[in-house]
Amino acid sequence: MPRAKPLVAISSFTTQPVFPTALLDDSTLRSIHEMNETFLCLVAERTIECPKEPPFGLRASLASHLGLLDAEAVKTIAACPYTLFDMAFDDIGPWRRGALAFPASPALSDAVRAFARMVAFFVWHLTRGDLLTAALALGMSPSTHRAWRALPLSAVDSGANWAAPRLAARWGYHRFFWNGLLAHSLQSPPPPAPGTHLLGLQLLAADGLRPFKKQKELPV
């Protein structure tokens, strides 16, 4: 019987197969899992506060399901090799300017502001490294990566103030991705979701290709 081949995904920034758990070191993965778990808890808290409003762009029905899960199930869902949230990283204009001075939004909770600040400093640190790591973990395009590399540390805190109101569930519109993640939580104990993780890698690759597609569509 032939040996089964491992699941791989093709990154939009390389022609070689990508193994995310091999390319991301244990410390980076732990940070991603911790941030994902914190974000999922923010979703659950927002759902309790405003049950009829979709929290962070995630459908209300999915958010309600998430709010019913125990800590172990949330931890399993959070264990993805990429972030389950986005903070408008593709809007590179403010990051490219390198000197941000945005005040904190009074409408945001302290928990959301603290989370945005933690994420911004993590992103700044991660982008000191190579593009492939940032692409796999955050879905960063080359232009966004360059903008973050040029961002001084002193601008990161105020940049988080700008990004915090834009915090959203990554692919919150994608029914199959989030349904796939949450479906595994119905089992006890919840197993890992490698198929859904692979779908996420494919979506990251598609997101990375969009800037190049738009360039080709521009009139000459």
Side-chain angles (χ1 to χ4, degrees):
M1 183 175 180
R3 185 177 180 181
K5 294 182 179 180
L7 290 175
V8 298
I10 301 298
S11 167
S12 59
F13 310 115
T14 177
T15 58
Q16 300 299 317
V18 171
F19 297 85
T21 54
L23 289 171
L24 301 180
D25 60 73
D26 291 343
S27 176
T28 299
L29 280 172
R30 283 195 300 270
S31 296
I32 291 172
H33 296 170
E34 181 182 348
M35 289 187 296
N36 282 342
E37 188 175 356
T38 303
F39 173 69
L40 294 175
C41 290
L42 287 176
V43 171
E45 291 172 5
R46 179 71 65 85
T47 303
I48 294 173
E49 295 171 359
C50 307
K52 295 184 179 180
E53 295 182 11
F56 304 107
L58 193 62
R59 285 185 300 138
S61 58
L62 290 174
S64 296
H65 179 180
L66 183 63
L68 298 174
L69 301 179
D70 59 26
E72 190 61 32
V74 172
K75 188 181 293 291
T76 299
I77 294 172
C80 287
Y82 41 77
T83 59
L84 292 174
F85 55 86
D86 184 57
M87 288 201 320
F89 295 131
D90 288 338
D91 187 0
I92 66 173
W95 311 117
R96 181 181 286 162
R97 286 194 288 272
L100 303 171
F102 295 98
S105 172
L108 298 177
S109 67
D110 291 341
V112 170
R113 284 199 293 267
F115 178 74
R117 189 170 184 269
M118 175 179 66
V119 172
F121 276 96
F122 171 79
V123 175
W124 185 88
H125 173 76
L126 195 66
T127 51
R128 303 307 94 184
D130 62 278
L131 168 62
L132 185 56
T133 300
L136 283 171
L138 304 163
M140 272 196 169
S141 65
S143 57
T144 308
H145 185 259
R146 287 193 297 270
W148 270 87
R149 282 183 67 87
L151 193 71
L153 180 60
S154 59
V156 174
D157 199 12
S158 57
N161 290 333
W162 175 84
R166 294 158 177 81
L167 176 64
R170 188 181 296 282
W171 313 308
Y173 60 88
H174 201 289
R175 178 182 302 177
F176 293 113
F177 176 77
W178 281 96
N179 278 349
L181 282 180
L182 294 177
H184 289 74
S185 66
L186 296 175
Q187 304 178 38
S188 183
T196 305
H197 290 177
L198 177 58
L199 173 59
L201 289 171
Q202 293 168 336
L203 292 172
L204 281 176
D207 290 345
L209 284 171
R210 285 194 180 96
F212 301 103
K213 185 176 184 294
K214 289 181 180 178
Q215 290 177 11
K216 291 181 180 179
E217 293 175 347
L218 290 176
V220 292

